[in-house]
Amino acid sequence: MKEHNIAIVGATGLVGRNMLKTVEERNFPVGTIRLFASKKSAGSYLLFRGKRVLVEDLFSSNLNGTDIALFSAGSEVSKKIVPLFVHNGAVVIDNSSHFRLSPEVPLIVPEVNGDMIKKNRGIIANPNCSTIQLVLVLAPLHKRFKIKRVVVSTYQSVSGKGYKAVKELETQSKEFLETFHPYGSYDRTLYIRYRSKSSVFPYPIGFNLLPQIGTFGDNGYTLEEEKLIKETQKIIGSKLKITATAVRVPVFYSHSESVNIEFVHPFTIKGCKEILRSSPGVLLYEQNYPIPLYMYERDEVAVGRIRRDDSVPNGINLWIVTDNIRKGAALNAVQIAEELING
Ligand SMILES: NC(=O)c1ccc[n+]([C@@H]2O[C@H](COP(=O)([O-])OP(=O)(O)OC[C@H]3O[C@@H](n4cnc5c(N)ncnc54)[C@H](OP(=O)(O)O)[C@@H]3O)[C@@H](O)[C@H]2O)c1
């Protein structure tokens, strides 16, 4: 099998490390592998197939010789560096939001629209984590019953905001439990100090939840909500009616979504379950329901709590959970690379 020279940009981050692991686990045919991060991590090493690989400083290295580059170092880095890799002959699979809505860039979830990969002109975008798990469930149902409207509320883990956010939840949880008891008397001064201390999120996330992910736009929606709406429309169809509320919750890994769907055509719960049971990448919970703790490090998008919404003629409610770092980011990117090389 032909081998391919791979680069991972943002290799030391939560997503980048998982990309490296996923490339290894799935036996991707790798010729050479290069790892890039910021100056801060340059000179450190990560393990790949039992060997140490040097982490290079992205901004002071030559970028030649890469066939496929997997990017997960944020929008600003992608904006500056992706075109340089493409110029040097690489195909870039980008995890940032920078290129996702560009009309000439395919936005891909392989199980849903993998056929669009061949339309790439050097850049393929990986959707937002919350979009990937949503469209994997919506697409097969839409094909059969045609979706009229979707209302989604997300319950997103802190890892969606990277390593520093995971650290912040850990620190705040410890501090909260060391300082307070959830019952009886407490020191109000300490409580007020706890409430006002936060660096990654606008307010403490430990023992809390935040109905804000990203900055607010003029219309009152957050950036995350806008991404979820527009990316879903780009993948499923621009006419899809969809609204979203994105909430950050004190969970380390895996995003959950409560989804209400109204179909154009009549449906049965049995019919929906049959479709989801046979949809690639989807794990149907027939009896119980999926939860973030159990989906950690799993590949599937899990769906459960499927039930009719009797308040509208063709309505259904369901609950979707997936590991945001795996299928929500790293795995989806590696699957795109696999489809790319397999034509
Ligand atoms: N976490 C998720 O669920 C998720 C899902 C989908 C997409 N994404 C996207 O993936 C990207 C990374 O997310 P993450 O969770 O892995 O974040 P992270 O844990 O904070 O890691 C960020 C990575 O980017 C590197 N980086 C940052 N600034 C850089 C610069 N100026 N030059 C070179 N490298 C730089 C960091 O290198 P150092 O270690 O040297 O700082 C690190 O490797 C973001 O665009 C995010 O939106 C994340």
Side-chain angles (χ1 to χ4, degrees):
M1 193 187 275
K2 185 175 182 286
E3 292 185 332
H4 304 266
N5 296 339
I6 302 297
I8 298 181
V9 176
T12 50
L14 287 181
V15 174
R17 283 172 192 270
N18 211 292
M19 282 171 164
L20 187 63
K21 186 170 161 230
T22 307
V23 166
E24 177 165 340
E25 279 171 6
R26 292 173 74 91
N27 284 321
F28 192 91
V30 175
T32 60
I33 191 148
R34 291 180 71 189
L35 306 178
F36 297 98
S38 76
K39 208 177 260 173
K40 189 187 87 191
S41 319
S44 62
Y45 290 86
L46 293 174
L47 276 184
F48 179 69
R49 294 183 178 157
K51 294 200 177 114
R52 282 165 20 120
V53 182
L54 177 72
V55 176
E56 302 176 58
D57 175 10
L58 180 66
F59 283 86
S60 64
S61 303
N62 83 70
L63 307 175
N64 302 326
T66 296
D67 300 317
I68 300 173
L70 306 174
F71 264 68
S72 71
S75 288
E76 279 308 305
V77 172
S78 288
K79 184 175 160 189
K80 287 189 196 133
I81 306 293
V82 165
L84 304 181
F85 269 89
V86 175
H87 179 76
N88 285 337
V91 175
V92 171
I93 300 167
D94 184 33
N95 250 284
S96 83
S97 58
H98 187 70
F99 298 100
R100 285 182 193 150
L101 298 178
S102 305
E104 71 281 8
V105 173
L107 182 65
I108 301 294
V109 178
E111 296 89 339
V112 175
N113 62 349
D115 54 319
M116 304 285 284
I117 290 175
K118 54 182 175 296
K119 296 204 168 147
N120 85 81
R121 295 192 211 156
I123 306 173
I124 301 166
N126 210 51
N128 194 26
C129 36
S130 51
T131 309
I132 292 176
Q133 67 189 80
L134 182 65
V135 299
L136 214 69
V137 171
L138 291 189
L141 296 175
H142 180 59
K143 209 168 155 190
R144 176 71 180 79
F145 303 115
K146 194 161 191 249
I147 294 174
K148 189 169 165 191
R149 181 167 184 253
V150 178
V151 182
V152 54
S153 301
T154 71
Y155 303 69
Q156 296 183 226
S157 66
V158 293
S159 57
K161 189 135 177 76
Y163 176 77
K164 285 186 187 148
V166 171
K167 218 52 212 156
E168 184 149 294
L169 175 58
E170 184 193 21
T171 312
Q172 288 177 349
S173 302
K174 278 187 193 154
E175 186 187 333
F176 191 96
L177 288 176
E178 279 163 9
T179 316
F180 309 107
H181 299 287
Y183 44 82
S185 61
Y186 65 95
D187 184 326
R188 181 130 185 100
T189 315
L190 289 179
Y191 185 62
I192 288 171
R193 195 182 305 156
Y194 174 82
R195 282 195 330 196
S196 57
K197 248 193 339 187
S198 198
S199 60
V200 176
F201 298 108
Y203 302 97
I205 186 66
F207 296 94
N208 200 9
L209 54 81
L210 307 172
Q212 178 190 358
I213 303 186
T215 49
F216 282 103
D218 292 341
N219 58 3
Y221 281 77
T222 62
L223 195 56
E224 185 77 2
E225 289 157 356
E226 291 283 356
K227 283 184 204 169
L228 182 54
I229 291 168
K230 292 195 173 127
E231 292 177 20
T232 302
Q233 287 171 331
K234 179 166 174 176
I235 296 168
I236 304 269
S238 57
K239 293 208 175 89
L240 184 82
K241 287 185 179 171
I242 170 168
T243 187
T245 303
V247 182
R248 187 74 72 190
V249 295
V251 166
F252 284 110
Y253 297 100
S254 297
H255 292 347
S256 306
E257 293 177 347
S258 163
V259 186
N260 175 264
I261 306 168
E262 199 178 341
F263 295 118
V264 171
H265 303 301
F267 73 100
T268 62
I269 295 292
K270 189 166 167 260
C272 284
K273 285 187 177 173
E274 268 162 20
I275 289 167
L276 293 173
R277 201 178 292 122
S278 58
S279 296
V282 175
L283 175 67
L284 175 67
Y285 273 63
E286 308 263 5
Q287 308 292 341
N288 209 337
Y289 47 81
I291 52 175
L293 263 186
Y294 288 8
M295 288 313 294
Y296 176 57
E297 292 202 317
R298 289 198 63 149
D299 286 349
E300 307 95 331
V301 168
V303 57
R305 300 234 34 223
I306 301 177
R307 62 207 191 277
R308 191 173 277 278
D309 167 11
D310 285 322
S311 68
V312 287
N314 299 310
I316 189 171
N317 286 309
L318 38 83
W319 173 252
I320 306 171
V321 186
T322 210
D323 184 331
N324 54 298
I325 303 293
R326 264 189 97 75
K327 182 57 184 169
L331 172 63
N332 198 69
V334 174
Q335 286 175 314
I336 293 173
E338 288 169 352
E339 294 233 352
L340 188 67
I341 63 168
N342 294 327

